[in-house]
C-alpha cells in the first residue's frame, strides 16, 4: 500500500510561530518489548528533500529499513540516541524512562534544538523543551520519520548482537524479535526464565508461574497503565 511521503509542514510551522531555527524530531522504539532498553533517537534534518522511501520505520521492510538508515545517518544534519535500561524502566516506570532516554538523546546532539517534534500524543519530554506532539508524526514529518528509522535499526542491531554474543541468550531469538513478544521468546522464558536484559515489572511474568517470584512491583499506576497498553502488540 502506498503512503503519502512525510513533509516539513510541521517544522515550517514551528519555525514560523516560535522563531525556532533548529528543530529536532524525536521518536522511540522498544516501548512494547519484554527485553532490552527503550531507545530514543533525536534527529535534525533542516528542510532538505529526504531520501526516497522515507516513512514510519514499521512500514518499511527490514532490509530496506537498514539500507535507508545508512543513507539517513549520512543525510541528516545530526542525530543522537539515548537509552533507558530495563532496570530504569522497572524502577521508574515507562513514562520517566522515555523522558530519560529522550533527554539523553537530545543532550547528545552537537547542537541544542530550539524546538522538538515528538511522535505521538503524549509529551513525555516536558520542560524546558519546547515540544509539539504529532500523532503519527513518524509518517507525516520528515524529521520524525528519520529518527524513527535510525532508532529502529540501531536498537534491532543491538538486540541481535546481544543474542549472538552469548549462547546463553540464543534461545530467546533476539535477532528476530528484538526483545518483543513472540512464540520463540515466550517459550524460552518459560524454560529458562528472564535474563538480566528483561523487564521484571511487566505482566508477562504473570503467565509464568515458575518465575513469578522474580516480578518487581511497579512504582505507579500511571506507569503500569502505559506499560499494559504498549506491551501486547508485535512490533518487529
Amino acid at each position: 500500500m502506498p503512503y503519502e511521503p512525510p513533509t516539513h509542514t510541521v517544522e515550517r510551522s514551528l519555525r514560523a510561530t516560535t522563531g525556532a531555527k533548529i528543530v529536532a524530531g524525536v521518536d522511540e522504539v522498544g516501548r512494547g518489548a519484554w527485553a532490552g532498553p527503550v531507545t530514543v533517537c533525536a534527529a535534525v534534518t533542516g528542510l532538505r528533500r529526504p531520501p526516497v522511501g522515507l516513512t514510519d520505520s514499521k512500514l518499511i521492510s527490514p532490509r530496506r529499513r537498514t539500507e535507508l538508515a545508512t543513507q539517513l545517518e549520512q543525510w541528516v544534519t545530526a542525530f543522537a540516541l539515548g537509552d533507558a535500561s530495563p532496570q530504569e524502566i522497572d524502577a521508574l516506570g515507562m513514562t520517566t524512562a522515555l523522558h530519560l532516554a529522550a533527554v539523553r538523546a537530545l543532550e547528545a546532539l552537537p547542537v541544542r534544538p530550539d524546538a522538538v517534534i515528538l511522535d505521538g500524543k503524549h509529551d513525555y519530554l516536558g520542560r524546558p523543551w519546547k515540544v509539539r506532539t504529532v500523532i503519527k508524526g513518524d509518517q507525516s514529518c520528515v524529521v520524525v520519520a528519520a529518527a524513527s528509522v535510525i532508532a529502529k535499526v540501531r536498537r534491532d542491531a543491538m538486540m541481535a548482537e546481544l543474542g549472538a554474543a552469548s549462547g546463553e541468550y540464543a534461545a530467546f531469538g533476539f535477532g528476530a524479535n528484538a526483545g518483543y513478544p513472540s512464540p520463540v521468546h515466550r517459550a524460552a522464558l518459560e524454560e529458562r526464565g528472564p535474563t538480566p536484559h528483561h523487564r521484571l515489572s511487566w505482566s508477562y511474568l504473570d503467565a509464568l508461574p515458575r518465575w513469578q517470584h522474580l516480578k518487581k512491583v511497579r512504582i505507579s499506576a500511571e506507569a503500569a497503565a502505559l506499560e499494559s497498553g504498549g506491551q501486547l502488540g508485535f512490533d518487529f
Side-chain angles (χ1 to χ4, degrees):
M1 178 185 297
Y3 297 94
E4 288 294 321
T7 70
H8 293 294
T9 300
V10 176
E11 186 173 345
R12 292 182 189 277
S13 172
L14 273 173
R15 288 169 175 254
T17 57
T18 70
K21 294 182 179 179
I22 300 172
V23 178
V26 168
D27 198 16
E28 56 78 23
V29 63
R31 186 194 300 241
W34 288 349
V38 62
T39 298
V40 171
C41 180
V44 178
T45 67
L47 299 176
R48 293 170 296 146
R49 185 188 299 273
V52 174
L54 178 62
T55 186
D56 172 10
S57 64
K58 295 185 292 296
L59 304 178
I60 307 172
S61 70
R63 180 177 178 179
R64 175 56 184 148
R65 194 163 56 215
T66 299
E67 294 171 348
L68 187 56
T70 300
Q71 289 181 263
L72 287 168
E73 290 183 14
Q74 299 299 316
W75 174 79
V76 298
T77 304
F79 78 93
L81 294 127
D83 294 321
S85 70
Q87 292 74 29
E88 288 172 324
I89 294 169
D90 287 334
L92 303 173
M94 183 54 79
T95 300
T96 302
L98 282 168
H99 172 82
L100 284 177
V103 169
R104 288 165 179 166
L106 286 164
E107 291 185 344
L109 288 170
V111 291
R112 185 177 177 88
D114 303 309
V116 175
I117 303 173
L118 186 63
D119 182 53
K121 63 180 180 180
H122 298 296
D123 178 8
Y124 55 77
L125 188 55
R127 296 181 180 180
W129 304 94
K130 295 179 180 178
V131 177
R132 174 78 60 85
T133 58
V134 179
I135 296 173
K136 294 188 177 180
D138 48 9
Q139 291 186 39
S140 61
C141 301
V142 167
V143 70
V144 180
S148 167
V149 172
I150 294 171
K152 175 66 173 167
V153 170
R154 286 294 190 100
R155 185 183 181 279
D156 282 0
M158 179 188 65
M159 293 302 295
E161 183 177 346
L162 174 64
S166 171
E168 180 183 0
Y169 302 145
F172 292 89
F174 290 151
N177 61 49
Y180 283 86
S182 76
V184 168
H185 193 170
R186 186 183 296 275
L189 279 166
E190 290 177 350
E191 179 181 350
R192 299 166 179 263
T195 72
H197 303 283
H198 279 86
R199 303 169 189 181
L200 299 181
S201 60
W202 285 47
S203 61
Y204 69 84
L205 280 170
D206 295 338
L208 301 172
R210 184 180 173 190
W211 308 105
Q212 282 182 3
H213 64 285
L214 297 176
K215 188 172 181 180
K216 294 187 176 180
V217 177
R218 304 184 186 101
I219 61 167
S220 70
E222 178 189 7
L226 180 58
E227 174 215 312
S228 63
Q231 72 165 316
L232 300 179
F234 289 70
D235 190 17
F236 55 87

